Structures are given as structure tokens and as C-alpha cells.
Amino acid sequence: MAQSAAGKSNKEQKYDRQLRLWGDHGQEALENAHVCLINATATGTEILKNLVLPGIGAFTIVDGHKVTGEDNRAQAATELLQELNSDVSGNFVEESPDKLLDNDPEFFHRFSLVIGVQLIESTCLRLAGVLWNAGVPFLVCKTYGLVGYMRLAVKEHTVVESHPDNALEDLRLDQPFAELKNHIQSYDLDNMDKKDHSHTPWIIVVAKYLEKWYNEHNYQLPKNYKEKEAFRQLIREGILKNENGVAEDEENFEEAIKNVNTALNPTKIPSTVQDILNAEGWKNITAQTPAFWVMARAVKEFVENEGEGKLPVRGTIPDMIADSEKFINLQNVYREKAMQDASVVSKHVESLLQSVGKVCVYKSKKKCKNAAFLRVVRCRSLADECSVELVNKDEITSCMDNPDSEMVLYLMLRSVDRFFQQHSRYPGVYNYQVEEDIGKLKLCVNSLLQEYGLNVNVKDDYIHEFCRYGASELHTVASFLGGQLLDVEFLLNKYGFVMPKTNLFIPFCLNNQKFLFALGCAAQEAIKMITHQFVPFNNTFIYNAMSQTSATFQL
Amino acid sequence: VVDGMTFSVMAVDSGHGGNARDWDGRWNHVQKFLERPGPFTHPDFEPSTESLHFLLETCKILVIGAGGLGCELLKNLALTGFRQIHVIDMDTIDVSNLNRQFLFRSKDVGRPKADVAADFINRRIPGCNVVPYFKKIQDFDESFYRQFHIIVCGLDSIIARRWMNGMLMSLLIYEDGVLDPSSIIPLIDGGTEGFKGNARVILPGMTACIDCTLELYPPQINFPMCTIASMPRLPEHCIEYVRVLQWPKEKPFGEDVPLDGDNPEHIKWVFQKSQERASEFNITGVTYRLTQGVVKRIIPAVASTNAVIAAACATEVFKIASSAYVPLNNYLVFNDVDGLYTYTFEAERKENCTACSQVPQDLKFAPSATLQDILEYLTENASLQMKSPAITATIDGKNRTLYLQTVASIEERTRPNLCKTLKELGLTDGQELAVADVTTPQTMLFKLHFTS
């Protein structure tokens, strides 16, 4: 999308607010993506709404549920969602996921992401297995009463731009590169006129006083609080005084003093990035190695050679009190060094690719600037999570030290799945069932705990509460409805979807705010997966609308 | 598949119109929460079949804002069963709203948000009656606000929030110093910015209010004038220069034509001039998008964050309306930049809160201090953060306006008072000063204490 002063395209205007978050390249990734939604329940379509509005390239709804009438649920949902954004193309497949898995499992290979809503456990695990092997990320979404649940399953997800909230600046004051050293040299604080002195960037001020400090402290950085205080005092003494010996108002020196702590942060490679650079899996570059890992390897080679143990310079500095010229000159010193480092990394990339017979086609500059912000997320498979041998017992039992931890809600969701398996319905759907089902559900809980060898206590209150929910969906947690929570026949008879092509706007989930909370989250995690920006959760998210709390577990 | 949506359609098709609104089973799911006892319900909760009736027929909700949060809120509330919903929004629809404000289509651009939103909901959800107001919240008085059971805000302005907060405080009735609970109207407030958001429950007179936690909203940082005027370093400084200094000087589109951030011709002009300014100082980075962002103070926004926060708010509305669960106590923070993070805490009431504490506010100044000193205090103090306070006092038995900014003629007339000392103005120790400001619907009373 070209930016011209003359006029912006309608699309750019429409997407303006979100482009400021993930940029044009993020939007491009979104528009090239094809997402699959399984089950066009109100909840599923609510997630899609939050993907259609920002302009996902295409979606396909897979839903075999017939309605009493002519229209299939998937088709109706597709039409309504397309109405939200004409840039998006919608498709539907009138088939149950189980049938597709039977007849054409490779159907799912084409998608950037598959979102499964209201899947019964057996279908969910089958699908998870296929997607895991095909390398297609899988996002599972459920709501039950006042509880929301999300599970992300992906072998390896790389994040180029994590956009951390509070990133440390990359100023290199402890190990200034040659050009920075020279630039600092060009300043003579002791012989400047007042105006220049008061408008010298604080980075220079700190650098100069650091030199003084080094001379008196054997070239050691100020280390502890006492030394840093002494260093601040040293700077404070450098503030110009008027003829009466009273300190002048020099804001730049005040800034220097304020920033001493962060300025003296030792330049080092964050551990998350170290892990990436040293990742075993991608040690040998081949023609199939994904771009992210070729880049990581190139950065590693830079670090071990030209970088002298340091990452490529980021090249940005914060704004600070200074006159325009001094600030721009200083900023350019960092920028030019960053560009230099980036082109060295590019050369490494080129030679790595050449060595496996490929040509470099992608731009590496962005990745260089963000070298410190590279992240990799690896989520365990659902198979592992549910396997008796590999279940994450430690995580579960340690969370359950607090019996009201959100972990208990996870255990209840698993138990409710078990109940469905045994009774082909969910507990407490009808008032008369509630009492009896409490006992039956308790048996499911106990058998679950026993099977996995989990020595934890699930309070009766939660068993009662889950029966009370009766698989209902208060609009807010999200109409979880659909086939998962209700008896299938009951569903088709009572909740069958009749929708003439006129009125109804399907995305109007008749349910749960809680679900909507979880769905809003789901849509955002989907966007993260597609754009490779911002860090997705790993790997289980539970939202409790009763207490408005949430937790993320790695199961 | 929507619970009963099918039945709804059939009912409408067979011509029953608005009366056949509650087909069999339509509210099954909601009823489970209202009619079944449970271990986590509110201590005062009693399962009953009447709660549903209250929810559907009687409960009156006011939604403030029909934008990103507002659209989601209206949908959520309507689908939960609330039928008496009023919505206020003073804006019209813009193209840039369409990426998340899903009740609007491109054909609606230019129309009032409140009207289009209400229309959409009323047509799609049988039985729901959303009443729109294309107005500012300040256009209404106590008698209007008093009619609602719960008020939910999806605002984008701290000033507006504070005003609403102040309005609900003014509705509180105290008898012999004891708060009458029936005068409390719960306020549920949501806010979003990019991938961050928050939702809070305010029970006026009982829990922390907006002003109790004013420090949570740091004052907007404006660039210092000297930077903009003579020492720009960032592209933003160049844009501000054009907006604040060059436009008023050159009046490029006419004598009384103010800069309109929504006018692409205006932005184009600012963009070009900003580029010129930037090249004078070798500053790079001025783009059209940045220009518009700075001029309009744009906050990035996406559909998903609004969906999350609106859901959290609507959950609280449901809890309070039904007494089914203990409401959020009282502040939820949400951030999904890195994974998904929520944090819930109880914001505390401020003992001397200017809005809700009923403690008279003190002003301590020397008699030789000037009115300007008081004005600066009112605007700069972190707990007050007033915008353009108007100060009046009773002097020699007469009510005198000491300074008022919002009316040009009065501003001119009272401006000389700013340089006068409090003594010169005839103010005495222990005197009451009445201060009015956009941040509050009620006049605030201060007691002046002379220091030596």
C-alpha cells in the first residue's frame, strides 16, 4: 500500500488504526492468510468476525450440521461474515471434521491456521494429530458456563517482531563502537559555551563523565548503588554555575542523572536470543531451512566475528533535550552503525544461502533491527498433554497447591469431556439432572485424576458449579453452545439452525460474555500467529468470568 | 447456531412481530444462572424466576459511546437479554471506524453512530429497544441519568469519564451522613488502547471512583514549546510546529478555518509543511500516516481488544443486574502484547478524593500569592488536573467571577485578576472558592487557608 500525500486508498483508511500496530507488512501477511474455522457456532463465527473485520485474506468454515430447512449452517455463516468486509473471501464445506479426517485429511494442509470451536474431545485429538504432523498451527477454543479455554498447538512458531513493552535501549555506553567513541571525543564539555553545554545530549554527558570515572576507578563501571550515586554526583558537579556559584538550570544534565541506571546497563545478548542463536535444531543450514533460521545463523556468525560478542546495533535512541543538530548527528552515528551491521549480516545470509545453492530474496534489515527481539514459541502437542506418560504432572500439582487456582477449571473441563464420552451428553442440562449428575461428574473427576496419577484435591464446589452451568452459555463467555456442550440430538432438534437469507446476523452469539472475552483473545492470538508479530501464549489459557481472572499454563 | 434464533425467525415470519418475542427456550441459558443455586453465587443471591423478568423487561442500561467498545457492548447486552438500552454518542461514522465498529457499513459513513448502532440492533434482535442520542453527555442533567439502573462507558476521553463520574456522585443522597444505597448507580468503565485494555466497576460513594485513581491516568505529554519552536529533533516535533504555530499564522484555508484532522486536504497541507520543516533540520521520518496520527492524537485500535474488554464489562453488567455473582472488585487490566495477561486488583478510595470523598478541599496560599498561582495549582496538581477552571468567590456579599477562560469576553475582562494577589482581590482566610471545570458537572468548593 503506497503512501502518497495525494490520497490514501480506502483500504488504508479503513485499516488505519490497526496498521499503526502491525504495519503494512503485518497487514500483508494477514491478507495472504487463509484460516479454517471448524463449527460455525455463534462462538466460532464471533472469532471469525474479529478476523474478517481486520481483513484476513480468506476463511473456510467446516461444518456438517444440517438445519431444519434448506440452508446449511456453514453457508449461512459465510454469507453473513462476508457482509462485514468485502475484501475477504469466504468459503464453506458442508462436512463434519470427522468425515474430512476420514476421507481427506490433507484438506487441512492448505491453511495458515485452523481454529476449532466446540469440538468433542475425540475429534479434537484426531484433528490435532493431523495438524501437528502437517505443521499447521491449531487453536482450540471452548467456553463452558463462566469459563473460557484456549489451547494453542504448534511445533515451532517464530516471532520476528515481538514489540516488547519495555525494551531497554541499545546505547553501547559500556562498550562504545569506534564511531561512537570518535563522536564522543569531538565534544569538549569543559570548553563549551553555555548554550551548547545545556543542549548537549545526555548520552554524550554520561559518556564523558564515564571517562572521568574510569580514570579514577581503574576502568570499572559503577557497579552498586553507592557507586552509581557517586557517579550521579560526579555528573551533578558538572552542571554550570553562575557567577554566584548557584547551579544553572541544565535539563540535559538532569536527564543524564536520571538515566544513569539504564545508561550503565551492560550490553549483552538477552537469554531468549541466546537460545535462538544456539538452537540445536537449525545448526546445519540446508535448502529447506526457513528464512528465520538462516537469519538467526547469520546473526550468530556476526556475533562471533564482526560483532565481537554483541548483536548488530539497533540504531535508535530515545528523544532527549538537545539542540537539533547535536541530536541528529548523534542519532546518525547510531543509525549508520546499525546499517553497517545490518549489511554485514546480509552478507552472511547471502553466503549461507549460496552455500546451499539458493539466492537471497527477502529483506533482512527488519530482522536485524529487531535482533534483540526475536522469539521462538514451541507448544507441546495435544497428544503429549493427554498422554499418561507425558502429562505435565508437575505443573498441574504445583498449581493445585492453591485449590482455587484456574487449574481446577482445566481439570473440570477435562472431566466434563469424560462425562460426555460416557453419557453422550453434558451434565446438568436439565434442572432434574443437576442433582444426580453431580455424583456422576465426581466419578469422572476421580477417574481422570487417578488415570493421570494426579494427587490433587478438586473441591466439590467446582463439581457442583459445572453441573449448574448445564453447558449453558451466558452471552458473555460466549455461546459455546453447539454440539459440544449439548446432547447432539437435543441440539439438532431444539437449536437447529434455520436461517432464511434475510435477517439474522449470525455473529450475534446469543451467549456468554465470557466466551466473547475468550473469543476476542482467540482472534488476537490468531493474528499474532499469522503476522509473526507479538508473542502468542504458550499453551493453555483459562479465563474465569466469575472472578475476572485468568491464567496461562504450559501443559 | 443460535439458541432460539431459529424460533425468532419463524416467529417474525409468521407475523407475530414484537409480541412473540420469547419463543420457548430462548432464555434457557440465562435462566440457568438466575434460577439455579450454586456455590459461587453472590451471598445475597436467591434463585428466582423473577430475575429474568427484571433483566428482560425492567432493567434500564445506559451505554455511553457507540464506537469500538460501544458496538460490542450493545451487541453483548442485547443478546444477554437486556431490552431497555439507551446509547449516547456525539460522533458520526468515519471510514477508519470500519475495521472494528461492526455495526456500521461503508454506506453509513457520515451518519451519527448512536442512530446507526441502535437501528442495527433493533432490527436484528427481536424485542430489543435501543434508544439513541446523537448528543454529548453534558447535554443531559441529573433527571436523565437518574432513570438508569446501570451505566456502562466505552469512552475515549478522561475528561468525559470524570464528568460522568462527577454526575453519578451528584446523584448520591446522604441522610445524616449515611449513604442511601438506592441512590447509587453502578458505573462500569472500559478503556482500550492497541492491545491493552482495562475494565472497572465503580459503585459511587462506596468504591474507588475515577478521580480516586487519577494518577493511573498520567497527564498527556505535550512537547515543550521551545522544542517545537526552535529545537525540533523528531518528526513529531515538526508536525506539531506546523499544527500549533504555522497553521494559525498562515491560515491556509481561510481566516476562521481551524485545522480539521478529518479533512484530507488539511492533513495534506500539514504533511507538506512538516516535510519542509523537517528537511531544514535534517530530520527524517515525516510520513502522511505519522502526520495524521499526531494531528488527531490517534490511538491505534483493533477489534479483538475491544471485544475482550466489552465482554468483561458486559459480564459485570449481568452480574450486577442479576446479583448472580459477586461483581469485579474492582479493576481489571488486560494486555496481550506478550501472551495473554490479566491482572485484577482492588483500587482504593482516596480519603480526600475531590469527586467522592465529601471532604472539603483545601487551598493553602500566602495572601501575597496571585490568582495565577491558584490557577496553575488547579491545572497542574496530579489529583486535580483541571482543564480550564473558572473561579468564583463571594466578596463583600457579592458573587464575583475571578477568572473564566471559556467565554472570550469574560476571559478578557477577568484576565487582569490573574496578576493580582489574593489580598488585592479581597479574599479572606477561610473563604470558600467555587471552581467549575469540564472535568466535573458540579462546582467544586475549596476552602482558602492563608499561610504566612
Side-chain angles (χ1 to χ4, degrees):
Chain A
M1 282 184 270
Q3 278 205 72
S4 69
K8 297 163 74 181
S9 71
N10 208 40
K11 230 164 74 158
E12 230 185 297
Q13 277 182 287
K14 181 165 70 165
Y15 297 140
D16 179 84
R17 300 298 185 270
Q18 69 204 37
L19 292 174
R20 291 166 193 277
L21 288 167
W22 52 67
D24 295 329
H25 55 294
Q27 187 65 29
E28 202 182 318
L30 211 54
E31 292 177 10
N32 287 331
H34 188 170
V35 169
C36 176
L37 169 75
I38 307 192
N39 284 333
T41 63
T43 47
T45 48
E46 178 73 20
I47 300 180
L48 271 193
K49 154 182 149 285
N50 291 331
L51 291 174
V52 165
L53 284 170
I56 194 101
F59 65 86
T60 295
I61 298 180
V62 168
D63 196 330
H65 289 101
K66 286 280 180 263
V67 295
T68 59
E70 285 143 35
D71 290 335
N72 167 274
R73 197 163 76 167
Q75 178 174 11
T78 301
E79 283 164 9
L80 285 171
L81 282 166
Q82 288 223 251
E83 194 223 348
L84 279 176
N85 189 347
S86 51
D87 297 335
V88 178
S89 47
N91 314 281
F92 61 91
V93 172
E94 295 175 21
E95 195 67 89
S96 80
D98 278 303
K99 270 266 164 57
L100 277 173
L101 287 168
D102 289 336
N103 302 329
D104 181 21
E106 290 190 11
F107 168 81
F108 295 102
H109 291 197
R110 79 195 68 181
F111 299 111
S112 329
L113 172 73
V114 173
I115 303 175
V117 170
Q118 290 149 254
L119 295 173
I120 60 173
E121 197 177 36
S122 54
T123 311
C124 190
L125 287 171
R126 267 188 89 193
L127 186 54
V130 166
L131 296 176
W132 182 264
N133 293 329
V136 176
F138 185 31
L139 183 61
V140 179
C141 215
K142 268 191 234 190
T143 55
Y144 199 98
L146 291 168
V147 177
Y149 163 90
M150 282 204 304
R151 171 63 154 99
L152 179 64
V154 60
K155 261 185 218 162
E156 185 179 89
H157 174 77
T158 56
V159 181
V160 176
E161 291 170 77
S162 54
H163 300 288
D165 260 340
N166 296 306
L168 294 172
E169 299 287 350
D170 183 23
L171 301 177
R172 305 287 167 119
L173 284 172
D174 60 330
Q175 302 184 56
F177 45 93
E179 296 84 344
L180 181 58
K181 260 198 212 144
N182 288 341
H183 189 71
I184 296 169
Q185 293 291 33
S186 72
Y187 279 86
D188 183 4
L189 284 181
D190 297 328
N191 289 308
M192 290 171 98
D193 71 27
K194 180 172 177 305
K195 189 146 192 246
D196 283 330
H197 195 263
S198 306
H199 290 94
T200 296
W202 70 254
I203 290 178
I204 302 288
V205 173
V206 169
K208 284 297 203 187
Y209 281 89
L210 198 56
E211 274 168 26
K212 284 207 168 86
W213 176 276
Y214 278 156
N215 285 334
E216 296 160 23
H217 291 86
N218 203 21
Y219 292 94
Q220 296 292 318
L221 276 172
K223 277 191 268 318
N224 48 42
Y225 177 75
K226 201 161 147 203
E227 289 186 356
K228 286 182 183 171
E229 260 309 294
F231 183 61
R232 283 189 198 100
Q233 187 54 31
L234 188 64
I235 298 177
R236 199 168 280 118
E237 281 159 18
I239 296 177
L240 290 178
K241 297 185 174 54
N242 64 15
E243 56 272 5
N244 298 327
V246 175
E248 298 273 23
D249 190 12
E250 297 206 282
E251 266 186 86
N252 59 330
F253 270 72
E254 295 300 332
E255 274 190 337
I257 293 165
K258 211 168 62 163
N259 283 292
V260 157
N261 246 344
T262 48
L264 299 182
N265 262 325
T267 302
K268 66 172 188 218
I269 303 178
S271 60
T272 45
V273 179
Q274 286 281 23
D275 292 341
I276 291 172
L277 298 184
N278 297 327
E280 281 299 320
W282 302 104
K283 261 210 158 110
N284 296 316
I285 303 297
T286 69
Q288 281 74 43
T289 305
F292 179 92
W293 292 107
V294 174
M295 181 58 157
R297 174 64 179 277
V299 170
K300 183 176 165 137
E301 286 180 10
F302 173 89
V303 168
E304 287 169 357
N305 297 294
E306 299 90 349
E308 292 171 352
K310 299 181 279 290
L311 289 173
V313 167
R314 195 178 311 156
T316 56
I317 56 173
D319 189 25
M320 59 193 75
I321 301 287
D323 64 50
S324 312
E325 199 181 329
K326 292 191 182 60
F327 179 83
I328 300 296
N329 288 342
L330 179 62
Q331 189 181 58
N332 284 337
V333 168
Y334 282 92
R335 272 189 187 168
E336 275 152 27
K337 177 67 173 160
M339 288 202 296
Q340 244 181 57
D341 284 357
S343 70
V344 171
V345 173
S346 286
K347 292 218 170 58
H348 281 293
V349 170
E350 270 170 41
S351 65
L352 280 170
L353 289 176
Q354 264 173 29
S355 73
V356 291
K358 280 178 88 172
V359 175
C360 184
V361 287
Y362 57 87
K363 297 199 187 83
S364 55
K365 255 217 297 206
K366 183 152 257 116
K367 291 189 174 105
C368 259
K369 260 203 290 184
N370 292 296
F373 306 140
L374 297 174
R375 296 278 295 272
V376 173
V377 173
R378 295 183 182 91
C379 300
R380 286 218 312 167
S381 68
L382 264 65
D384 283 357
E385 174 192 341
C386 299
S387 122
V388 170
E389 293 88 35
L390 299 171
V391 63
N392 193 344
K393 262 167 97 159
D394 285 343
E395 176 95 335
I396 298 175
T397 43
S398 66
C399 288
M400 288 300 288
D401 274 344
N402 166 17
D404 297 308
S405 149
E406 280 79 11
M407 184 58 81
V408 73
L409 303 175
Y410 167 76
L411 294 173
M412 284 314 306
L413 288 173
R414 293 287 303 271
S415 306
V416 156
D417 277 339
R418 205 158 265 239
F419 187 104
F420 185 87
Q421 234 175 22
Q422 286 170 24
H423 305 275
S424 297
R425 63 175 178 83
Y426 287 96
V429 176
Y430 295 105
N431 286 348
Y432 73 84
Q433 293 171 326
V434 179
E435 199 64 46
E436 214 181 280
D437 283 351
I438 292 177
K440 293 197 183 123
L441 183 56
K442 186 157 187 174
L443 289 175
C444 293
V445 172
N446 290 337
S447 88
L448 177 82
L449 298 179
Q450 207 177 49
E451 182 180 328
Y452 288 98
L454 295 166
N455 190 12
V456 299
N457 175 38
V458 172
K459 287 194 210 166
D460 282 344
D461 280 346
Y462 290 101
I463 302 176
H464 181 177
E465 185 71 0
F466 270 67
C467 282
R468 179 175 186 253
Y469 290 156
S472 74
E473 320 129 73
L474 238 204
H475 182 84
T476 49
V477 180
S479 59
F480 190 176
L481 63 98
Q484 180 160 19
L485 298 177
L486 305 165
D487 178 72
V488 178
E489 242 173 56
F490 175 64
L491 165 74
L492 289 179
N493 289 337
K494 201 135 182 105
Y495 294 74
F497 183 84
V498 171
M499 217 217 36
K501 290 173 210 257
T502 48
N503 277 328
L504 282 181
F505 187 60
I506 296 190
F508 273 37
C509 327
L510 194 49
N511 315 289
N512 279 327
Q513 256 78 281
K514 288 73 180 168
F515 200 39
L516 292 176
F517 186 105
L519 293 183
C521 296
Q524 193 45 45
E525 295 309 298
I527 290 174
K528 289 183 192 176
M529 297 300 295
I530 293 164
T531 57
H532 291 269
Q533 294 186 37
F534 305 94
V535 182
F537 73 107
N538 181 3
N539 53 39
T540 300
F541 175 73
I542 304 266
Y543 167 58
N544 178 354
M546 287 186 283
S547 55
Q548 295 278 30
T549 54
S550 72
T552 301
F553 305 122
Q554 226 168 334
L555 296 174
Chain B
V1 171
V2 182
D3 178 13
M5 275 304 205
T6 66
F7 295 84
S8 131
V9 174
M10 285 172 9
V12 170
D13 279 352
S14 47
H16 289 267
N19 284 333
R21 301 190 299 191
D22 291 339
W23 52 87
D24 193 32
R26 183 179 187 187
W27 304 112
N28 269 356
H29 49 287
V30 176
Q31 280 171 297
K32 289 192 174 88
F33 292 96
L34 300 177
E35 295 169 16
R36 293 181 177 184
F40 296 108
T41 55
H42 194 290
D44 296 338
F45 174 69
E46 274 180 34
S48 114
T49 48
E50 278 158 29
S51 312
L52 181 64
H53 186 266
F54 171 73
L55 206 94
L56 293 176
E57 308 300 337
T58 319
C59 192
K60 224 166 176 185
I61 314 275
L62 175 63
V63 175
I64 306 196
L69 278 173
C71 285
E72 295 278 346
L73 279 169
L74 288 170
K75 160 184 65 87
N76 294 351
L77 294 172
L79 286 174
T80 303
F82 295 99
R83 287 179 166 151
Q84 309 298 333
I85 306 174
H86 293 229
V87 61
I88 303 175
D89 194 305
M90 63 184 203
D91 273 336
T92 55
I93 298 163
D94 179 69
V95 172
S96 66
N97 299 148
L98 302 177
N99 78 328
R100 63 203 183 281
Q101 299 172 23
F102 65 96
L103 300 179
F104 313 140
R105 299 285 175 271
S106 34
K107 63 173 169 54
D108 298 319
V109 172
R111 288 182 59 200
K113 289 189 180 182
D115 293 346
V116 178
D119 213 22
F120 193 109
I121 302 269
N122 291 338
R123 271 187 292 118
R124 312 286 180 121
I125 304 201
C128 194
N129 179 29
V130 179
V131 179
Y133 303 94
F134 175 37
K135 292 208 148 109
K136 301 198 298 288
I137 51 176
Q138 291 88 354
D139 292 335
F140 300 96
D141 63 16
E142 310 85 58
S143 60
F144 173 79
Y145 291 106
R146 204 174 272 131
Q147 65 181 301
F148 297 103
H149 293 97
I150 303 173
I151 298 183
V152 202
C153 288
L155 288 165
D156 58 0
S157 138
I158 296 167
I159 294 178
R161 279 188 177 88
R162 292 179 69 188
W163 192 93
M164 203 57 232
N165 186 68
M167 168 54 73
L168 294 187
M169 295 306 155
S170 72
L171 296 178
L172 296 177
I173 297 171
Y174 288 86
E175 269 159 63
D176 296 325
V178 176
L179 177 58
D180 173 6
S182 69
S183 65
I184 300 176
I185 298 179
L187 174 66
I188 299 173
D189 180 66
T192 62
E193 192 174 317
F195 296 139
K196 304 184 196 172
N198 58 74
R200 63 189 299 185
V201 172
I202 296 171
L203 302 175
M206 288 179 60
T207 63
C209 77
I210 302 280
D211 282 49
C212 289
T213 56
L214 210 49
E215 287 87 28
L216 284 177
Y217 306 100
Q220 296 242 293
I221 299 176
N222 286 313
F223 303 116
M225 205 29 112
C226 60
T227 300
I228 295 178
S230 51
M231 246 177 263
R233 296 175 297 269
L234 303 179
E236 288 87 340
H237 299 157
C238 302
I239 297 165
E240 277 291 84
Y241 172 84
V242 176
R243 182 183 79 90
V244 173
L245 295 173
Q246 208 170 340
W247 179 286
K249 199 165 92 176
E250 293 183 29
K251 306 191 216 279
F253 288 83
E255 189 56 43
D256 281 313
V257 180
L259 174 52
D260 176 6
D262 291 318
N263 184 332
E265 291 303 313
H266 289 200
I267 299 290
K268 194 167 105 179
W269 188 89
V270 174
F271 173 50
Q272 280 166 350
K273 295 296 175 190
S274 304
Q275 280 180 313
E276 285 165 28
R277 172 102 173 141
S279 67
E280 260 182 67
F281 292 88
N282 292 317
I283 296 172
T284 58
V286 174
T287 61
Y288 186 93
R289 188 177 290 163
L290 183 69
T291 304
Q292 199 177 35
V294 171
V295 170
K296 291 180 68 173
R297 300 286 196 261
I298 290 178
I299 296 175
V302 282
S304 44
T305 317
N306 283 321
V308 168
I309 295 300
C313 289
T315 298
E316 294 309 311
V317 174
F318 175 77
K319 286 185 193 170
I320 291 174
S322 65
S323 301
Y325 286 89
V326 175
L328 168 67
N329 183 19
N330 55 46
Y331 203 113
L332 165 74
V333 171
F334 171 79
N335 184 336
D336 68 355
V337 168
D338 187 338
L340 292 153
Y341 172 77
T342 67
Y343 175 61
T344 307
F345 68 98
E346 184 179 343
E348 286 179 357
R349 284 188 81 180
K350 212 150 109 177
E351 262 177 34
N352 59 343
C353 174
T354 50
C356 76
S357 73
Q358 300 219 295
V359 167
Q361 301 297 312
D362 288 330
L363 286 175
K364 296 195 175 82
F365 286 89
S368 56
T370 62
L371 189 63
Q372 176 74 33
D373 292 333
I374 293 191
L375 192 73
E376 274 171 18
Y377 173 77
L378 293 173
T379 50
E380 287 163 24
N381 177 279
S383 321
L384 293 173
Q385 291 186 49
M386 292 192 165
K387 295 298 160 204
S388 46
I391 311 172
T392 57
T394 305
I395 301 179
D396 299 329
K398 279 176 47 193
N399 197 16
R400 283 186 56 201
T401 302
L402 296 175
Y403 183 66
L404 189 145
Q405 267 178 279
T406 48
V407 178
S409 55
I410 304 181
E411 198 279 328
E412 219 181 300
R413 179 169 64 74
T414 55
R415 203 184 307 150
N417 288 342
L418 290 177
C419 316
K420 295 199 183 140
T421 67
L422 305 182
K423 191 158 172 220
E424 280 170 346
L425 288 168
L427 298 172
T428 55
D429 187 32
Q431 163 123 42
E432 252 183 21
L433 295 178
V435 180
D437 185 53
V438 288
T439 50
T440 167
Q442 276 182 298
T443 308
M444 267 176 71
L445 291 177
F446 288 84
K447 207 158 186 184
L448 182 60
H449 299 274
F450 280 157
T451 58
S452 46

